Each structure stands twice: as C-alpha cells, then as structure tokens.
Amino acid sequence: MSDHGLPADAPQQNPQATRRTPPPPSADGPPTPWLPPTTDPIHLGVLLPTGTAQWAKDDDPRDLITLGRTAERLGFTSLFVNDSLITPRIEALTMLAALAVTTETATLGTGALLPFLRRPVQTAQALASIDLLSDGRLTLAVGAGFPGRFGRPFYDLSEVPWPRRFARLDETVRLWRALWQGADSFHGEFHHFTDLPPALRPTHPTGPPIWLAGATPAALARTGRLYDGWLPYPPDPADYTTGLHDIHQAATAAGRTPEAITPALFITVRIDDAPRTARAALDDYARATYGMPLPELEKIQAVAAGTSEQVAQRLSQYVTAGARHLVTRPAALNLPAHREQLERVAALIPDLPNPSPPRTRVRPGQ
C-alpha cells in the first residue's frame, strides 16, 4: 500500500517506493545480511471477499460469515476486510461486527480503514464496540486514500478537505486513542472538542493496535514514530527489508522499541496444480477486479501464483525479508472457489519458515 493508504483492492503503488540502500556491511569481515530484530512467530491471515466483484451472481453475502469461521477453523490467525465509501461491498465495520460474535480466536482487521469517511468520535465508539464484542481481537490498518479513483472522489463525497490529509489521518488516530483513554477534551489542527462525555473504553487501555498502510519514505517515518504496525504490499521482498529497516530507525529515533511495531504484508495468492493454470486464474482476477492484466498488477502489488510449493517459497521470501503477519488475498471470483483457495493456502502453514534470531557479528578476539 502507498503512503496514501490505499484499500487492499487499489492497485496503484510505485514499485520502487521503498527501495533504498540496506545498512552497510561491517568493516571487520565479509558482508552480513541485515535481518530484522525479531523472532516473533509467523501469522497467516486472509482478506475476506466483501466486494461484489469477487462474487458470482447467485452467491449469498451471508456466506461471508461462514467463510470467516471456516478460515479460523483452518488455522488462519486473522480475518481482514476492505473499506470504501460507495464501492459495491459490505461495509467494513458492519462486517467486523458480524465476525466479532461469530468467531472466537482470529484477529479482526481492516486493510485499510479510511478514517476520513466517518465522523471521528462516532468511529471511535464503533471501533471500541467491535473490540469489546470480539474480546479485544481488533486490529486497524488505516490510510488516507489515493489521488486516483480510490481517494480524492471519496473526500469530495465526504465533504472533507483534500489538503493535509496525512496530518488529518494522524490526528484522527490520536483523537481515537485519547477518547479510549478517557480524555475530556481534545485540541488539534483539525479537531477541537471541549467537555467530551465519557466514551466507551475498549478492551485494552490504549485501544486496539493501529497499523499504517503506507510505503513511501514519509509513511515509513510516520510508522516508526506513531503506529503499532506496517501493512504494505511491495512486489519486491528486498523493498520490504529496506522499508522495515527505515521504520526501525525512525522508531529508535523517537524513543520507541522497534519490536513493538508489527511487520505485516498484504499479498494476493492463487494456488493450482499447474503454474500456468494459477497464473491464468490470477490474470482473470486482476482483470475483473482492476481492469488490468496480471503482468501489470504484479509490477505494483505483491502476488504469488503457482503450485503450493511455489507459493510457499514466495511467502517465505517475505518472511526472510522481515514480514511476520502475512495477510493473504485468495484470487477467486466466487465464494465456493474462495473456500477452495482458503483450504489450499491453509495447507501451507506448516511449510512457512520459523524465524531465527538475528545474526550478530562477533569481533575477532571476543
């Protein structure tokens, strides 16, 4: 996702947005690969197909709840949904509210929530409600929208100014956190409230974790300073590594612990018995969802298509790059096919690598 915080169904991203020079090698020996300082376990999540573009004519949207429960039973540790204004899809917070009381263990997430679409105080109340109904399982990835059809037109329809949208996003998140912690007033650049009544408190005092969906240098710096996680979709794992390194540097400079920031990834996947069949199905999905062929989509989004072994290898590349929470989007154009892909992706869970401690260099004589 870009610094604009695109929804997961928005294709635009500069494939070079996070490519920078990795940390230099040590002077006392051969180059040592930089590894993120975390040994957290791998989490595999799924984006549910809440948009009608991923449904067949006779699909029942209520089957999305069954699909979420199936994913949880198969071993997926998170269920994510997209957000939009008037795009034909089940509204994100409505979907999460339904999942909150029908699932038991999976994290419930947004990829990405667009706060400018909603009144901030009302949204804080809705999010705290979902968090309580799910017993503290809510995680929010947020974004500010994109200059194209996924962004600026929504600002106009929401009657929210387009300028300073990133600052507005950050301030809205601060307002939510203040409300959840019992603030009785708030004064920022965009939001001014005095005599705030008591708000609903979420499960944890600081509220649910909030990730940023962004991949430009500015977004990386903001993630390190302000957010609890990172959810991009770079097509090159090397860009993920350098982006995560920059986030850790920004976190350290802000006096934060880099390990407190969840390194997540959004990736579209398709598994079939033959690589050609998988790529053809993903091409159909790209054309139906974005109006572009697969060769164009894979230049700007992380994708994995092929046999189970090939997709597992592709996911492992991002794990090696530092990702610890993989949010997969199965490329299917009806709900029965989506369930089949869920089963194929879930079968990869045992094949994902276990993170090892980061390498450290011991100087001669130590």
Side-chain angles (χ1 to χ4, degrees):
M1 298 187 184
S2 75
D3 187 23
H4 307 283
L6 286 75
D9 59 355
Q12 301 96 331
Q13 178 171 335
N14 178 358
Q16 301 298 323
T18 62
R19 183 180 293 280
R20 271 175 299 283
T21 303
S26 172
D28 62 352
T32 298
W34 179 80
L35 294 177
T38 178
T39 58
D40 292 342
I42 302 304
H43 293 278
L44 189 65
V46 63
L47 184 85
L48 296 177
T50 55
T52 60
Q54 288 80 50
W55 304 350
K57 184 177 181 180
D58 57 349
D59 280 342
D60 186 342
R62 293 171 295 182
D63 287 341
L64 290 170
I65 296 174
T66 303
L67 200 62
R69 296 176 65 181
T70 298
E72 185 179 63
R73 176 179 56 80
L74 289 170
F76 288 93
T77 58
S78 64
L79 308 173
F80 275 70
V81 297
N82 275 340
D83 190 25
S84 63
L85 183 60
I86 57 174
T87 302
R89 73 169 64 254
I90 301 296
E91 194 274 328
L93 301 188
T94 304
M95 188 73 241
L96 292 184
L99 292 169
V101 295
T102 54
T103 60
E104 298 179 356
T105 60
T107 295
L108 306 179
T110 57
L113 187 73
L114 302 173
F116 70 88
L117 301 181
R118 303 169 175 85
R119 297 287 187 181
V121 174
Q122 180 185 14
T123 305
Q125 187 83 344
L127 295 173
S129 299
I130 294 171
D131 187 68
L132 287 170
L133 291 172
S134 67
D135 194 25
R137 292 185 285 129
L138 181 63
T139 289
L140 304 167
V142 299
F146 191 79
R149 62 189 175 99
F150 293 96
R152 185 153 192 169
F154 290 174
Y155 274 82
D156 295 338
L157 290 169
S158 301
E159 299 180 323
V160 176
W162 176 254
R164 302 280 294 157
R165 58 195 181 277
F166 306 123
R168 179 183 295 274
L169 171 66
D170 295 342
E171 183 175 297
T172 299
V173 170
R174 290 199 303 272
L175 172 58
W176 290 349
R177 288 170 169 162
L179 288 167
W180 292 333
Q181 296 178 59
D184 56 10
S185 65
F186 184 91
H187 299 285
E189 179 182 352
F190 309 99
H191 306 298
H192 303 273
F193 299 103
T194 57
D195 298 323
L196 283 167
L200 186 66
R201 301 289 189 93
T203 305
H204 303 289
T206 56
I210 303 179
W211 302 351
L212 185 63
T216 65
L220 300 176
R222 290 164 56 226
T223 300
R225 294 196 316 268
L226 304 171
Y227 289 87
D228 305 309
W230 183 43
L231 184 63
Y233 51 54
D236 187 342
D239 291 339
Y240 192 97
T241 299
T242 53
L244 187 59
H245 172 254
D246 288 356
I247 288 172
H248 287 178
Q249 283 192 322
T252 300
R256 302 183 67 204
T257 302
E259 291 84 354
I261 301 170
T262 300
L265 172 80
F266 177 82
I267 183 168
T268 302
V269 301
R270 177 72 190 205
I271 299 175
D272 282 294
D273 295 336
R276 181 176 297 180
T277 304
R279 287 190 61 81
L282 187 50
D283 183 73
D284 290 341
Y285 183 88
R287 293 175 186 273
T289 304
Y290 300 127
M292 67 170 61
L294 174 58
E296 293 300 315
L297 181 65
E298 62 189 349
K299 293 177 182 178
I300 50 182
Q301 281 192 10
V303 302
T307 64
S308 295
E309 292 76 13
Q310 289 172 323
V311 171
Q313 182 181 23
R314 177 67 165 165
L315 295 179
S316 296
Q317 291 174 349
Y318 284 97
V319 172
T320 301
R324 294 295 177 263
H325 195 133
L326 310 178
V327 180
T328 59
R329 176 176 59 174
L333 295 176
N334 61 71
L335 297 187
H338 199 94
R339 174 166 180 155
E340 178 194 9
Q341 285 296 305
L342 277 182
E343 294 173 348
R344 286 177 175 263
V345 176
L348 303 181
I349 294 175
D351 297 328
L352 295 178
N354 292 318
S356 57
R359 294 185 185 181
T360 57
R361 180 174 300 282
V362 178
R363 294 183 179 277
Q366 290 184 323

